[in-house]
Amino acid sequence: MGDLKERIAKRCAKEFEDGDFVNLGIGLPTQVSNYIPEGIEVVLHSENGFAGLDALAAPGSEDVDIINAGGMYATAVDHVGYFDTATSFGLVRGGHVKATVLGAMEVAENGDLANWIVPGKKVAGMGGAMDLVTGAEKCIIVMLHTQKGEPKILKKCRLPLTAEKCVNMIITEMGVMEVKEEGLVLKELHPDYTLEEIKAATECDLIISPDLKPMEE
């Protein structure tokens, strides 16, 4: 399981360009900070109040004052900026975030997102997800393709929505998909899987890109 999540995080990190200002959500998205390609500078935003997030802290070198949005000990770059929550979300709502990377419980083929609550279960709240998916220029979902064998990429979300038609890209251990007007387009397929396998693990129909290529590692 760990290797699959690492695969997803590594592939997601390849989406960024030099100078991008990127938000990382809780859970799997926090791992993306470990794999930013060499040669580019990406400013990583953490909604709890800083810009300049770096890799997760190694065991034994934790700084109790540097914690990411998921409550995990992290590191920061030398030119890190710390600020209050109002400023943090001012950056999001002001359209300054190039991309936000979030997890999901369900994503629909039209880009609808459900990632904050399962009815009947306790939850801390929606957090910043609703702001992030509407304020960021691009929304990238990173997640395992299925949950206990059941598809998470659906024709229509069954759980309460975080936002409608907000997802631009989905990256799983099986492949990379883009939400387009015509539907969900499979752009990359991991060599560990066949087209038949990813189709079987996806509830909605996948449009196979004519330029389909192996998923980048």
Side-chain angles (χ1 to χ4, degrees):
M1 185 73 74
D3 289 343
L4 294 181
K5 290 184 176 181
E6 181 179 302
R7 174 193 296 176
I8 297 166
K10 283 182 175 179
R11 175 59 188 84
C12 181
K14 294 179 181 294
E15 284 299 304
F16 309 139
E17 298 178 353
D18 192 44
D20 281 353
F21 187 56
V22 177
N23 170 273
L24 299 182
I26 65 174
L28 198 164
T30 60
Q31 296 185 31
V32 175
S33 62
N34 292 334
Y35 304 110
I36 302 300
E38 293 185 10
I40 69 170
E41 182 175 352
V42 176
V43 179
L44 298 177
H45 169 262
S46 189
E47 69 181 63
N48 55 313
F50 64 104
L53 178 69
D54 207 346
L56 298 176
S61 63
E62 298 91 342
D63 183 335
V64 297
D65 292 323
I66 305 178
I67 298 173
N68 64 26
M72 303 169 68
Y73 290 114
T75 59
V77 299
D78 292 337
H79 51 279
V80 61
Y82 297 102
F83 33 73
D84 59 23
T85 301
T87 302
S88 184
F89 279 94
L91 290 168
V92 175
R93 295 168 183 169
H96 302 287
V97 178
K98 178 74 173 181
T100 183
V101 182
L102 301 172
M105 291 181 277
E106 295 177 348
V107 183
E109 62 183 339
N110 69 343
D112 288 353
L113 172 65
N115 77 340
W116 74 284
I117 190 172
V118 175
K121 294 188 177 182
K122 290 185 178 180
V123 64
M126 188 175 287
M130 184 169 59
D131 282 288
L132 288 163
V133 297
T134 55
E137 184 176 323
K138 183 177 183 179
C139 176
I140 303 172
I141 296 299
V142 293
M143 64 179 187
L144 294 173
H145 207 95
T146 60
Q147 175 71 24
K148 296 181 179 179
E150 294 298 318
K152 297 172 67 177
I153 303 174
L154 311 173
K155 291 181 181 294
K156 186 176 181 180
C157 292
R158 303 180 182 97
L159 295 173
L161 295 184
T162 305
E164 297 180 344
K165 299 181 180 179
C166 62
V167 176
N168 303 103
M169 175 178 281
I170 306 169
I171 301 174
T172 75
E173 77 279 14
M174 301 183 83
V176 179
M177 292 137 279
E178 289 188 351
V179 179
K180 298 289 188 180
E181 195 67 37
E182 62 269 26
L184 193 61
V185 180
L186 179 65
K187 307 283 286 188
E188 298 177 21
L189 177 66
H190 196 276
D192 285 354
Y193 304 95
T194 64
L195 277 174
E196 288 69 27
E197 287 174 324
I198 193 170
K199 286 179 179 179
T202 309
E203 185 190 76
C204 64
D205 293 330
L206 286 173
I207 300 170
I208 310 304
S209 170
D211 301 316
L212 180 68
K213 62 181 183 178
M215 182 172 168
E216 297 182 39
E217 292 280 7

